[in-house]
Amino acid sequence: MRIGELARDSGVSIDTIRYYERLGLLPPPARQPSGYRRYDADDIQRLSFIRRAKALGFGLDEIAELLALSAGRGNDMAPLRQRAEQTLAGVERRIAELSRMRDGLHALVAACPGHGALAGCPILSALKEDAA
């Protein structure tokens, strides 16, 4: 299949496919005599793997590591689990930070009456205090 078909079948844009090739996340494709790239079902599976890993919070560097680890089928799964645990810890940190942000915004919104002079806005006051 050509790159357009791969993009359609995998739900990934052509530019993203080319980017993943440059990063080495996708192996260099075979070329037809005309010079067009030629892909197969393995490439669709690999793109699906990348999309699912990204959805779970893995970065592209981590995905490259996961792909390399998964290529060693006879190896122990401990390194893969360790990578997933590290990513989970990062997700937990981001969730905690987002919770703090949400709580701060809730407090600011609750403190603002939503009417009156802008100079007396508690949201602006709080933001100016944090900047100092």
Side-chain angles (χ1 to χ4, degrees):
M1 79 183 77
R2 290 186 177 175
I3 194 168
E5 295 167 307
L6 177 64
R8 184 193 65 233
D9 293 350
S10 66
V12 176
S13 74
I14 290 172
D15 288 337
T16 300
I17 292 168
R18 289 182 179 139
Y19 179 63
Y20 290 167
E21 287 174 5
R22 284 193 305 273
L23 292 179
L25 294 174
L26 274 178
R31 296 278 182 163
Q32 296 175 341
S34 62
Y36 286 108
R37 293 172 169 95
R38 190 175 59 226
Y39 299 93
D40 58 28
D42 289 342
D43 296 308
I44 293 174
Q45 288 179 322
R46 195 169 184 102
L47 286 169
S48 295
F49 179 97
I50 293 168
R51 270 194 5 260
R52 286 191 298 270
K54 283 183 65 178
L56 289 172
F58 289 97
L60 294 179
D61 289 341
E62 294 169 318
I63 293 170
E65 186 179 341
L66 291 175
L67 287 167
L69 288 170
S70 69
R73 301 252 184 242
N75 295 339
D76 185 48
M77 69 177 78
L80 229 138
R81 179 187 168 111
Q82 183 180 26
R83 168 50 57 205
E85 287 173 339
Q86 290 169 351
T87 300
L88 176 60
V91 168
E92 294 287 352
R93 283 190 297 275
R94 288 194 304 264
I95 289 171
E97 179 61 28
L98 287 170
S99 293
R100 285 191 293 277
M101 291 168 59
R102 181 198 58 219
D103 294 347
L105 284 169
H106 271 298
L108 289 175
V109 169
C112 182
H115 55 80
L118 191 58
C121 177
I123 297 171
L124 288 178
S125 297
L127 294 174
K128 288 178 183 177
E129 288 174 15
D130 287 346

